[in-house]
């Protein structure tokens, strides 16, 4: 499984001859991404915020690329043709199984009104060798999800887990490798020292990828 990190929470997962793009957002978007994003097989969007859903770019992509997301994302983006999914659904892509899982977007007063997220999901991508779980912007919650690779926000600010909760969450999930994401919004900057302190304290193997960096696992 090959993983490429794009800005904010965007990930390209390549496995079994397929390309899966998750949360292609508008933060730090570069025109050079277009051809890469336009070559994928499917796109998974976790929730409606534009840092996870770059509508202007998605409108221009090849119509053969299937986009999966929630009814709330479709309602917020009427120009997109979205395959509606909900928690506990299963998406099949040849030999790859994608589980749609629970997520709880944090709330603080800056989200009051149209920005508040009422429908949010994460995805577990299972290729038979690795299970990659990308959580979406979520606060901590009890679950029995298991994954080898965990992609998780660590910036806190009431919207997502901080590095403290994320490190404990990684242990619960059983992740062999944790990849912090969602760190490109200057309004909610990451505390790299705190991330290192918490992940080391709870013995979590992690790697912070630069934007456009690729790693292979498994």
């Amino acid at each position: 499984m090959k993983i490429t990190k794009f800005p904010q929470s965007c990930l390209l997962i390549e496995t079994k001859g397929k390309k899966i793009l998750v949360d292609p957002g508008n933060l730090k978007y570069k025109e050079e991404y277009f051809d890469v994003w336009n070559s994928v097989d499917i796109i998974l969007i976790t929730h409606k915020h534009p840092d996870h859903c770059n509508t202007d770019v998605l409108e221009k992509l090849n119509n053969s690329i299937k986009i999966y997301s929630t009814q709330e994302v479709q309602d917020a983006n009427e120009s997109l043709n979205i395959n509606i999914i909900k928690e506990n659904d299963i998406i099949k892509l040849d030999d790859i199984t994608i589980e749609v899982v629970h997520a709880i977007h944090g709330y603080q007063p800056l989200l009051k009104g149209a920005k508040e997220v009422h429908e949010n999901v994460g995805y577990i991508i299972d290729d038979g060798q690795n299970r990659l779980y990308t959580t979406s912007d979520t606060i901590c919650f009890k679950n029995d999800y298991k994954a080898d690779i965990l992609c998780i926000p660590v910036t806190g600010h009431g919207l997502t887990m901080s590095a403290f909760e994320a490190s404990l969450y990684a242990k619960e999930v059983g992740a062999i490798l944790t990849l912090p994401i969602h760190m490109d919004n200057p309004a909610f900057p990451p505390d790299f020292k705190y991330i290192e302190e918490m992940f080391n304290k709870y013995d979590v193997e992690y790697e912070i990828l630069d934007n456009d960096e690729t790693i292979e696992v498994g």
Side-chain angles (χ1 to χ4, degrees):
M1 181 180 282
K2 184 166 29 173
I3 305 161
T4 301
K5 184 191 179 299
F6 292 107
Q8 196 68 333
S9 298
C10 184
L11 301 166
L12 174 64
I13 295 101
E14 299 175 75
T15 185
K16 302 287 186 180
K18 298 296 182 181
K19 296 180 180 180
I20 301 166
L21 188 66
V22 183
D23 280 351
N26 62 0
L27 275 181
K28 297 187 178 180
Y29 173 76
K30 295 186 287 189
E31 288 299 325
E32 65 195 62
Y33 295 158
F34 184 85
D35 288 343
V36 178
W37 292 8
N38 201 35
S39 70
V40 304
D41 294 285
I42 64 171
I43 295 173
L44 309 175
I45 298 170
T46 60
H47 64 285
K48 68 181 181 181
H49 286 159
D51 59 331
H52 297 256
C53 181
N54 189 336
T55 307
D56 290 342
V57 172
L58 292 177
E59 288 174 343
K60 300 171 185 174
L61 295 183
N62 192 315
N63 289 333
S64 66
I65 300 172
K66 290 187 176 181
I67 303 175
Y68 292 87
S69 195
T70 64
Q71 185 64 56
E72 184 170 58
V73 171
Q74 178 67 88
D75 292 344
N77 298 277
E78 294 181 354
S79 62
L80 300 180
N81 182 20
I82 292 176
N83 294 269
I84 305 300
I85 48 85
K86 59 186 182 303
E87 183 182 324
N88 297 321
D89 280 353
I90 299 291
I91 303 167
K92 294 293 291 185
L93 181 62
D94 289 350
D95 295 332
I96 304 166
T97 299
I98 302 168
E99 304 168 27
V100 183
V101 298
H102 189 59
I104 307 171
H105 199 290
Y107 174 81
Q108 38 104 316
L110 292 177
L111 293 187
K112 188 177 294 183
K115 292 183 180 180
E116 186 174 354
V117 174
H118 300 282
E119 197 174 8
N120 187 25
V121 295
Y123 297 99
I124 298 176
I125 300 167
D126 190 334
D127 67 1
Q129 294 176 307
N130 291 288
R131 286 171 62 82
L132 182 147
Y133 172 20
T134 184
T135 67
S136 182
D137 295 0
T138 187
I139 56 175
C140 206
F141 63 93
K142 185 179 179 180
N143 64 78
D144 58 0
Y145 303 145
K146 296 298 177 186
D148 308 297
I149 307 152
L150 178 67
C151 305
I152 188 169
V154 295
T155 45
H157 294 92
L159 303 177
T160 75
M161 297 182 224
S162 72
F164 166 66
E165 299 102 288
S167 62
L168 295 176
Y169 199 88
K171 301 298 284 187
E172 287 285 293
V173 167
I176 297 170
L177 175 64
T178 296
L179 303 176
I181 55 175
H182 198 262
M183 297 191 289
D184 284 304
N185 189 337
F188 307 110
D191 184 336
F192 289 105
K193 183 178 179 180
Y194 186 62
I195 292 169
E196 180 180 12
E197 178 186 349
M198 289 297 100
F199 279 22
N200 288 342
K201 178 179 180 179
Y202 292 102
D203 195 27
V204 174
E205 290 291 330
Y206 74 101
E207 186 168 350
I208 296 176
L209 299 181
D210 292 330
N211 289 332
D212 311 327
E213 184 176 356
T214 299
I215 61 167
E216 290 197 46
V217 295

